[in-house]
Amino acid sequence: MLRKYRAAAQRVNKSGVSSLQGLDTKSEARGEQSGSYTLTELKNTVELHDGESSSVRTHYFRAQSKATKLLMYEQRIENLFVIEAALQNKRNIKESFEDEASAFWFYRLLSELIVPTADVLPQSEYEKADGQKLPSFHLLSYLGITSLVHLSQIKPLGSGNLSAKVICSVSIFTDLSDVWNTRASYDAACRLLTEDGGLASSTTILVDHLLRSVLKPLFANSAPSTITPAGRQAIDPGRKQVELGQFESQTKPWKYQAAWGVTVLRFVLQRMNTPLVEVNWPLLVPPVLAVLDDSSTAMKTKGARLVTRLLYLTPPELLIRTGLFPVFRDALKPCTLFLPTLTPLEESLPLLKAAYSALFALGNARFPPASDGAEPSSQTTSLLRNSKSANAEKIAFQAQVDRSHYLSAILRSCIFAAHAHCPESTYPRITTLLCWELRDIVIEMGPSTTRHLKDIIPLLIEILNNPFGTASPEMLEAAAQALKQVLLRAWARASRWRGEVLMGLVGCWMHVLDEEQNSRGRGGTKSTLTGEVVGPRIREIDESYEEQESRKLQSSGKQDDVKLNDDEVSLENVKATLKGIAGILRASLKDDVDLDIDSEYDLMISKEERLKELLD
């Protein structure tokens, strides 16, 4: 039986291990059902390079030529093919008193084999992953993880260092955006982590092994100077001293040799809860801020997502006690200005989405939003406990004032500044994102939005009146949705701005009608843009996060990401939103004794019949 597996593996290698199509030929080996074997016999059958049979050493891939390294990959894949095919046929495996030791041997071997090595990962920002070895590693990692899945069903993982090592190795494949990961490996890793009996959420594994033993040494030399080792704000941060001749690859192994460290950190945060975060704060904050402060936009994006998850689990008292609110704020705000042309558009968009999401999470963590009739927040309760003479209403009111000031600062220094640098006529996708973020801020600020109407309404009207706006219905829809929320929150000032609002509505409506007429004249379809983000505003766009949410990889609590409604936005959607805004404006001014909004609408319809559908 095992000889047949070996023969099938050799046929796969001869057909080319650089393609995942070789996996289809495994059915040849699995067709044989006769014969039985023990795990010890399977262990003895596996032939490692240079006669290694106990473990995989760190110098396993220190070959001189690329051809030799590729040959080693082929030998590894052949062995893993035999292991995976043999372990899947569980009814052919007979029990033996040596099975437990052999199972431990396989767990140790497989957990070491699937970890991405330095020769697969890029070793600088200007270097890409080896395209020749990467497909071979994809196949190798898939075979290794599926072998672990089959082995866990035969001999379940127990508690101990070995189980922690296996969980760490498998957690490396929980992010689809990583270059070393594939859909097949991701699915297999999710399956193993959901069938581990709760080991992946064990405090011992998360804290003692992953945080202390694995992640802490990786981030030891790259902690920001703005915080202390205890996870508090540094009083006099100064500048970090860098030794001459010290390369970034030496101070940041988590970015190069062990790039999987960021994925493991993300996995740990997904499995933690608020009490665990508070107890292990000094172990979490330095690595998260180190990733956020990196010069690479890809790493900044990952860092902002890590900050979002961390802040969702952070109680307000912890931010106050450690003084890290300004540290997080000052680290996140510059991320909102990584804009074209200095930053490529395809890199800028994900970073902006992640940065704004983190800024909102920071505001909610430091200034929890108040709700009508709700009990005082934990921050209020804590302050009352420390000061007997404090007035709960004053404290709660001041907290909401501070929250409003924080959101106003984001509006001025992030939204308005970014739009001034990237106007809608040049970067409609950036403008679309900024309008959705503006809509969120307006909803959070409520009536306090009134103070910013002089800046918000001209900006939105300019976008709606853009003669080329119909080329991007998503941008018009985002601007219209933002204007709708402005009128709902600041309706008391609608009479002052009704002229500007009507100018934007009428201008956008006429442009849409002209575009529809031109489209019918050309015999084409209505103008749509399928590649843009649409629908209700969300925190993130990341397929790997959406997949992990659906597979319940997050432990509990608030979600980092909400799935986006990516239905196509058409000009009909824009028209429907514009009609809704016209109705809101009419309702806001209906009781105003100083003007007759119905007469103004009728006058406009008499001048232009095409406005009847908008204003009726």
Side-chain angles (χ1 to χ4, degrees):
M1 171 66 79
L2 295 177
R3 284 196 296 269
K4 286 186 174 292
Y5 291 149
R6 175 70 62 185
Q10 291 171 352
R11 285 197 294 275
V12 172
N13 262 338
K14 288 179 180 178
S15 63
V17 298
S18 61
S19 173
L20 288 175
Q21 296 174 353
L23 290 175
D24 297 335
T25 62
K26 291 190 290 182
S27 58
E28 301 176 18
R30 295 180 184 137
E32 178 67 40
Q33 300 298 331
S34 61
S36 60
Y37 44 85
T38 65
L39 289 179
T40 302
E41 290 174 346
L42 177 59
K43 170 188 171 183
N44 296 333
T45 303
V46 176
E47 299 173 359
L48 296 178
H49 182 64
D50 289 338
E52 287 182 311
S53 58
S54 58
S55 64
V56 181
R57 298 169 185 166
T58 56
H59 64 271
Y60 192 79
F61 265 95
R62 292 181 182 175
Q64 296 299 322
S65 65
K66 289 186 177 181
T68 306
K69 291 183 179 181
L70 287 175
L71 179 60
M72 291 182 180
Y73 268 117
E74 292 182 4
Q75 292 171 343
R76 279 187 168 190
I77 290 172
E78 182 177 320
N79 288 322
L80 284 176
F81 184 96
V82 174
I83 295 172
E84 196 270 344
L87 291 177
Q88 187 172 24
N89 285 331
K90 301 176 185 62
R91 56 185 172 182
N92 291 332
I93 299 177
K94 58 184 181 181
E95 294 185 2
S96 169
F97 68 94
E98 297 178 339
D99 281 355
E100 187 171 352
S102 299
F104 287 166
W105 184 89
F106 277 115
Y107 273 125
R108 184 171 60 253
L109 170 70
L110 295 171
S111 62
E112 292 179 357
L113 281 175
I114 63 176
V115 177
T117 51
D119 62 313
V120 175
L121 303 173
Q123 296 304 303
S124 72
E125 293 185 29
Y126 311 102
E127 180 182 336
K128 294 184 178 180
D130 194 323
Q132 194 174 9
K133 292 193 287 290
L134 197 57
S136 297
F137 181 77
H138 288 164
L139 179 55
L140 182 146
S141 59
Y142 170 74
L143 291 172
I145 298 174
T146 51
S147 298
L148 285 170
V149 172
H150 300 322
L151 184 59
S152 66
Q153 296 170 352
I154 300 171
K155 290 290 183 181
L157 269 171
S159 59
N161 292 334
L162 182 59
S163 60
K165 185 176 183 180
V166 173
I167 295 297
C168 178
S169 298
V170 175
S171 67
I172 294 172
F173 296 88
T174 55
D175 189 349
L176 273 175
S177 64
D178 291 329
V179 67
W180 59 81
N181 204 0
T182 62
R183 168 68 62 174
S185 299
Y186 168 78
D187 291 339
C190 291
R191 180 182 175 186
L192 181 60
L193 292 172
T194 54
E195 297 176 356
D196 63 357
L199 279 176
S201 300
S202 167
T203 303
T204 302
I205 291 180
L206 291 178
V207 177
D208 295 339
H209 184 78
L210 296 183
L211 274 180
R212 296 185 187 277
S213 301
V214 177
L215 294 176
K216 187 176 180 180
L218 290 179
F219 291 89
N221 297 324
S222 54
S225 59
T226 53
I227 60 174
T228 65
R232 296 176 177 270
Q233 183 183 18
I235 298 178
D236 186 17
R239 290 188 176 183
K240 189 173 182 179
Q241 298 295 326
V242 179
E243 297 180 6
L244 293 177
Q246 195 174 26
F247 296 99
E248 192 179 50
S249 59
Q250 297 173 336
T251 59
K252 297 182 178 181
W254 50 269
K255 186 178 178 182
Y256 299 108
Q257 303 96 317
W260 44 263
V262 179
T263 304
V264 175
L265 176 60
R266 175 177 165 275
F267 173 80
V268 171
L269 283 173
Q270 287 177 338
R271 299 278 173 162
M272 295 191 107
N273 52 31
T274 298
L276 270 181
V277 166
E278 193 164 2
V279 172
N280 299 284
W281 186 257
L283 295 175
L284 292 169
V285 173
V288 168
L289 284 177
V291 179
L292 180 62
D293 288 342
D294 190 72
S295 59
S296 168
T297 53
M299 279 297 173
K300 279 186 176 293
T301 303
K302 291 185 177 182
R305 290 170 181 160
L306 292 174
V307 169
T308 302
R309 177 60 184 171
L310 177 64
L311 292 174
Y312 275 147
L313 302 173
T314 302
E317 295 90 346
L318 187 57
L319 279 179
I320 297 173
R321 188 167 66 246
T322 59
L324 288 187
F325 170 73
V327 175
F328 281 115
R329 181 196 59 202
D330 296 342
L332 287 169
K333 275 190 176 181
C335 296
T336 63
L337 298 179
F338 278 69
L339 302 166
T341 55
L342 293 179
T343 304
L345 181 63
E346 56 274 10
E347 296 180 12
S348 176
L349 280 172
L351 178 56
L352 290 178
K353 295 163 190 169
Y356 281 112
S357 177
L359 284 170
F360 273 93
L362 179 61
N364 291 333
R366 178 60 181 86
F367 312 109
S371 57
D372 295 337
E375 295 294 329
S377 65
S378 57
Q379 178 186 359
T380 301
T381 305
S382 175
L383 291 173
L384 283 173
R385 190 184 305 117
N386 296 331
S387 177
K388 296 181 180 180
S389 60
N391 187 302
E393 292 183 1
K394 289 183 179 180
I395 296 175
F397 176 76
Q398 185 60 42
Q400 296 313 307
V401 170
D402 293 340
R403 178 182 174 83
S404 179
H405 289 165
Y406 171 75
L407 294 172
S408 297
I410 297 177
L411 200 60
R412 291 191 303 268
S413 60
C414 301
I415 302 288
F416 295 154
H419 180 262
H421 185 76
C422 296
E424 67 278 358
S425 57
T426 309
Y427 299 102
R429 298 179 67 188
I430 296 288
T431 303
T432 302
L433 172 64
L434 294 177
C435 286
W436 285 118
E437 300 296 344
L438 174 60
R439 172 184 175 272
D440 280 355
I441 292 177
V442 168
I443 292 175
E444 294 288 340
M445 292 187 67
S448 299
T449 307
T450 304
R451 77 179 75 146
H452 300 290
L453 290 181
K454 60 184 177 58
D455 298 311
I456 294 176
I457 289 183
L459 183 150
L460 296 176
I461 299 309
E462 179 186 357
I463 297 172
L464 291 173
N465 275 333
N466 192 310
F468 303 104
T470 53
S472 175
E474 290 76 16
M475 181 182 71
L476 296 180
E477 174 70 8
Q481 290 287 351
L483 181 59
K484 179 180 178 180
Q485 295 301 327
V486 169
L487 290 179
L488 287 173
R489 267 69 185 176
W491 59 269
R493 299 289 292 167
S495 59
R496 162 67 179 83
W497 295 97
R498 74 181 189 284
E500 287 79 358
V501 172
L502 286 172
M503 180 177 66
L505 293 180
V506 171
C508 184
W509 183 266
M510 299 304 292
H511 290 319
V512 169
L513 293 183
D514 292 340
E515 177 64 24
E516 289 182 336
Q517 183 177 359
N518 293 337
S519 180
R520 288 191 294 268
R522 294 191 299 266
T525 58
K526 295 176 183 178
S527 174
T528 59
L529 194 64
T530 59
E532 247 332 289
V533 178
V534 299
R537 172 67 193 115
I538 64 158
R539 294 286 144 255
E540 295 287 354
I541 297 176
D542 184 0
E543 288 186 3
S544 62
Y545 265 40
E546 294 168 8
E547 294 293 339
Q548 290 151 36
E549 289 292 329
S550 65
R551 294 181 179 275
K552 299 180 181 179
L553 275 186
Q554 290 191 349
S555 55
S556 61
K558 301 177 182 179
Q559 294 183 348
D560 291 349
D561 314 290
V562 181
K563 192 179 186 306
L564 195 61
N565 174 19
D566 52 1
D567 295 334
E568 188 176 292
V569 166
S570 67
L571 294 178
E572 288 296 331
N573 301 119
V574 178
K575 290 170 64 177
T577 305
L578 294 177
K579 287 190 287 186
I581 295 174
I584 292 172
L585 184 62
R586 182 196 293 268
S588 301
L589 301 176
K590 199 165 187 62
D591 297 331
D592 196 321
V593 297
D594 296 330
L595 56 90
D596 187 355
I597 189 64
D598 292 331
S599 299
E600 291 186 4
Y601 276 22
D602 293 339
L603 179 61
M604 296 172 67
I605 293 173
S606 66
K607 298 295 183 180
E608 176 56 71
E609 282 293 329
R610 293 189 294 175
L611 295 178
K612 184 176 179 62
E613 183 182 356
L614 171 67
L615 301 177
D616 259 359

mmCIF file of all heavy atoms in Angstrom, residues 38-39 110 165 184-185 237 254 299 310 328 334 343 493 520 555 581 597 602:
data_model
loop_
_atom_site.group_PDB
_atom_site.id
_atom_site.type_symbol
_atom_site.label_atom_id
_atom_site.label_comp_id
_atom_site.label_asym_id
_atom_site.label_seq_id
_atom_site.Cartn_x
_atom_site.Cartn_y
_atom_site.Cartn_z
ATOM 1 N N THR A 38 0.645 0.702 10.200
ATOM 2 C CA THR A 38 0.616 1.495 11.421
ATOM 3 C C THR A 38 1.288 2.837 11.173
ATOM 4 O O THR A 38 1.973 3.042 10.159
ATOM 5 C CB THR A 38 1.344 0.781 12.561
ATOM 6 O OG1 THR A 38 2.740 0.668 12.215
ATOM 7 C CG2 THR A 38 0.764 -0.608 12.785
ATOM 8 N N LEU A 39 1.091 3.765 12.102
ATOM 9 C CA LEU A 39 1.753 5.060 11.979
ATOM 10 C C LEU A 39 3.270 4.905 12.033
ATOM 11 O O LEU A 39 4.011 5.653 11.382
ATOM 12 C CB LEU A 39 1.281 5.992 13.103
ATOM 13 C CG LEU A 39 -0.153 6.508 13.009
ATOM 14 C CD1 LEU A 39 -0.469 7.396 14.216
ATOM 15 C CD2 LEU A 39 -0.371 7.283 11.720
ATOM 16 N N LEU A 110 5.410 17.974 10.562
ATOM 17 C CA LEU A 110 4.505 18.736 9.702
ATOM 18 C C LEU A 110 4.432 20.196 10.126
ATOM 19 O O LEU A 110 4.372 21.097 9.280
ATOM 20 C CB LEU A 110 3.117 18.100 9.738
ATOM 21 C CG LEU A 110 3.018 16.682 9.149
ATOM 22 C CD1 LEU A 110 1.642 16.075 9.441
ATOM 23 C CD2 LEU A 110 3.286 16.693 7.655
ATOM 24 N N LYS A 165 2.819 24.543 19.317
ATOM 25 C CA LYS A 165 3.615 24.701 18.104
ATOM 26 C C LYS A 165 2.773 24.449 16.859
ATOM 27 O O LYS A 165 2.899 25.154 15.854
ATOM 28 C CB LYS A 165 4.808 23.743 18.157
ATOM 29 C CG LYS A 165 5.779 23.896 17.009
ATOM 30 C CD LYS A 165 6.975 22.984 17.194
ATOM 31 C CE LYS A 165 7.984 23.181 16.071
ATOM 32 N NZ LYS A 165 9.166 22.305 16.237
ATOM 33 N N ALA A 184 -6.907 26.831 -0.785
ATOM 34 C CA ALA A 184 -6.940 25.452 -0.278
ATOM 35 C C ALA A 184 -6.292 25.365 1.106
ATOM 36 O O ALA A 184 -6.834 24.725 2.017
ATOM 37 C CB ALA A 184 -6.232 24.521 -1.266
ATOM 38 N N SER A 185 -5.151 26.015 1.280
ATOM 39 C CA SER A 185 -4.478 25.984 2.580
ATOM 40 C C SER A 185 -5.300 26.711 3.639
ATOM 41 O O SER A 185 -5.382 26.277 4.796
ATOM 42 C CB SER A 185 -3.094 26.615 2.474
ATOM 43 O OG SER A 185 -2.280 25.910 1.564
ATOM 44 N N PRO A 237 9.844 60.811 24.687
ATOM 45 C CA PRO A 237 10.181 59.733 23.757
ATOM 46 C C PRO A 237 11.512 59.911 23.049
ATOM 47 O O PRO A 237 12.287 58.974 22.929
ATOM 48 C CB PRO A 237 9.017 59.759 22.756
ATOM 49 C CG PRO A 237 8.387 61.091 22.905
ATOM 50 C CD PRO A 237 8.631 61.519 24.318
ATOM 51 N N TRP A 254 10.094 40.339 11.808
ATOM 52 C CA TRP A 254 8.670 40.092 11.525
ATOM 53 C C TRP A 254 8.236 40.643 10.166
ATOM 54 O O TRP A 254 7.130 40.332 9.693
ATOM 55 C CB TRP A 254 7.801 40.734 12.613
ATOM 56 C CG TRP A 254 8.143 42.166 12.906
ATOM 57 C CD1 TRP A 254 9.024 42.623 13.848
ATOM 58 C CD2 TRP A 254 7.641 43.330 12.245
ATOM 59 N NE1 TRP A 254 9.087 43.996 13.831
ATOM 60 C CE2 TRP A 254 8.244 44.450 12.851
ATOM 61 C CE3 TRP A 254 6.730 43.536 11.212
ATOM 62 C CZ2 TRP A 254 7.961 45.760 12.441
ATOM 63 C CZ3 TRP A 254 6.447 44.826 10.802
ATOM 64 C CH2 TRP A 254 7.057 45.918 11.417
ATOM 65 N N MET A 299 2.229 47.257 5.270
ATOM 66 C CA MET A 299 2.322 46.993 6.696
ATOM 67 C C MET A 299 1.481 47.981 7.504
ATOM 68 O O MET A 299 0.876 47.620 8.515
ATOM 69 C CB MET A 299 3.785 47.060 7.149
ATOM 70 C CG MET A 299 4.570 45.805 6.873
ATOM 71 S SD MET A 299 3.903 44.397 7.788
ATOM 72 C CE MET A 299 4.874 43.056 7.099
ATOM 73 N N LEU A 310 -7.745 45.668 18.353
ATOM 74 C CA LEU A 310 -7.292 45.878 19.725
ATOM 75 C C LEU A 310 -8.177 46.875 20.456
ATOM 76 O O LEU A 310 -8.553 46.670 21.614
ATOM 77 C CB LEU A 310 -5.842 46.363 19.713
ATOM 78 C CG LEU A 310 -5.223 46.715 21.071
ATOM 79 C CD1 LEU A 310 -5.148 45.467 21.951
ATOM 80 C CD2 LEU A 310 -3.833 47.327 20.887
ATOM 81 N N PHE A 328 -2.000 56.622 19.900
ATOM 82 C CA PHE A 328 -2.745 55.996 18.807
ATOM 83 C C PHE A 328 -3.232 57.043 17.806
ATOM 84 O O PHE A 328 -3.152 56.845 16.587
ATOM 85 C CB PHE A 328 -3.939 55.215 19.361
ATOM 86 C CG PHE A 328 -3.580 53.879 19.939
ATOM 87 C CD1 PHE A 328 -3.734 53.626 21.282
ATOM 88 C CD2 PHE A 328 -3.088 52.862 19.131
ATOM 89 C CE1 PHE A 328 -3.416 52.389 21.822
ATOM 90 C CE2 PHE A 328 -2.756 51.627 19.661
ATOM 91 C CZ PHE A 328 -2.916 51.387 21.007
ATOM 92 N N PRO A 334 -1.658 60.454 10.320
ATOM 93 C CA PRO A 334 -0.866 60.566 9.082
ATOM 94 C C PRO A 334 -1.222 59.512 8.033
ATOM 95 O O PRO A 334 -1.003 59.734 6.835
ATOM 96 C CB PRO A 334 0.583 60.392 9.581
ATOM 97 C CG PRO A 334 0.549 60.774 11.013
ATOM 98 C CD PRO A 334 -0.794 60.344 11.508
ATOM 99 N N THR A 343 1.565 58.123 -3.241
ATOM 100 C CA THR A 343 1.184 56.750 -2.911
ATOM 101 C C THR A 343 0.286 56.222 -4.019
ATOM 102 O O THR A 343 -0.709 56.876 -4.369
ATOM 103 C CB THR A 343 0.416 56.699 -1.580
ATOM 104 O OG1 THR A 343 1.215 57.302 -0.559
ATOM 105 C CG2 THR A 343 0.099 55.264 -1.197
ATOM 106 N N ARG A 493 -31.034 74.092 10.344
ATOM 107 C CA ARG A 493 -30.369 75.107 9.507
ATOM 108 C C ARG A 493 -30.652 74.901 8.034
ATOM 109 O O ARG A 493 -29.967 75.462 7.186
ATOM 110 C CB ARG A 493 -28.867 75.046 9.755
ATOM 111 C CG ARG A 493 -28.446 75.337 11.177
ATOM 112 C CD ARG A 493 -28.641 76.808 11.514
ATOM 113 N NE ARG A 493 -27.720 77.641 10.779
ATOM 114 C CZ ARG A 493 -27.805 78.968 10.669
ATOM 115 N NH1 ARG A 493 -28.815 79.587 11.228
ATOM 116 N NH2 ARG A 493 -26.909 79.648 9.985
ATOM 117 N N ARG A 520 -29.169 56.173 -24.194
ATOM 118 C CA ARG A 520 -30.203 55.599 -25.056
ATOM 119 C C ARG A 520 -29.950 55.923 -26.508
ATOM 120 O O ARG A 520 -30.207 55.108 -27.406
ATOM 121 C CB ARG A 520 -31.576 56.106 -24.627
ATOM 122 C CG ARG A 520 -32.075 55.510 -23.319
ATOM 123 C CD ARG A 520 -33.537 55.843 -23.108
ATOM 124 N NE ARG A 520 -33.741 57.271 -22.911
ATOM 125 C CZ ARG A 520 -33.748 57.859 -21.718
ATOM 126 N NH1 ARG A 520 -33.568 57.132 -20.621
ATOM 127 N NH2 ARG A 520 -33.944 59.154 -21.612
ATOM 128 N N SER A 555 -13.133 35.373 17.921
ATOM 129 C CA SER A 555 -13.570 34.766 19.173
ATOM 130 C C SER A 555 -14.976 35.214 19.561
ATOM 131 O O SER A 555 -15.862 34.402 19.752
ATOM 132 C CB SER A 555 -12.582 35.112 20.285
ATOM 133 O OG SER A 555 -12.422 36.504 20.375
ATOM 134 N N ILE A 581 -33.709 63.177 -0.844
ATOM 135 C CA ILE A 581 -33.176 64.415 -0.258
ATOM 136 C C ILE A 581 -34.153 65.568 -0.475
ATOM 137 O O ILE A 581 -34.382 66.394 0.421
ATOM 138 C CB ILE A 581 -31.800 64.736 -0.878
ATOM 139 C CG1 ILE A 581 -30.790 63.652 -0.507
ATOM 140 C CG2 ILE A 581 -31.313 66.093 -0.409
ATOM 141 C CD1 ILE A 581 -29.453 63.816 -1.198
ATOM 142 N N ILE A 597 -41.933 76.573 0.754
ATOM 143 C CA ILE A 597 -41.114 75.661 -0.026
ATOM 144 C C ILE A 597 -41.901 75.031 -1.173
ATOM 145 O O ILE A 597 -41.361 74.767 -2.250
ATOM 146 C CB ILE A 597 -40.499 74.581 0.888
ATOM 147 C CG1 ILE A 597 -39.468 73.758 0.130
ATOM 148 C CG2 ILE A 597 -41.571 73.711 1.479
ATOM 149 C CD1 ILE A 597 -38.273 74.506 -0.349
ATOM 150 N N ASP A 602 -42.810 74.412 -7.039
ATOM 151 C CA ASP A 602 -43.693 74.566 -8.203
ATOM 152 C C ASP A 602 -43.088 75.524 -9.217
ATOM 153 O O ASP A 602 -43.211 75.308 -10.444
ATOM 154 C CB ASP A 602 -45.060 75.084 -7.752
ATOM 155 C CG ASP A 602 -45.814 74.054 -6.917
ATOM 156 O OD1 ASP A 602 -45.476 72.861 -7.033
ATOM 157 O OD2 ASP A 602 -46.714 74.443 -6.146
#
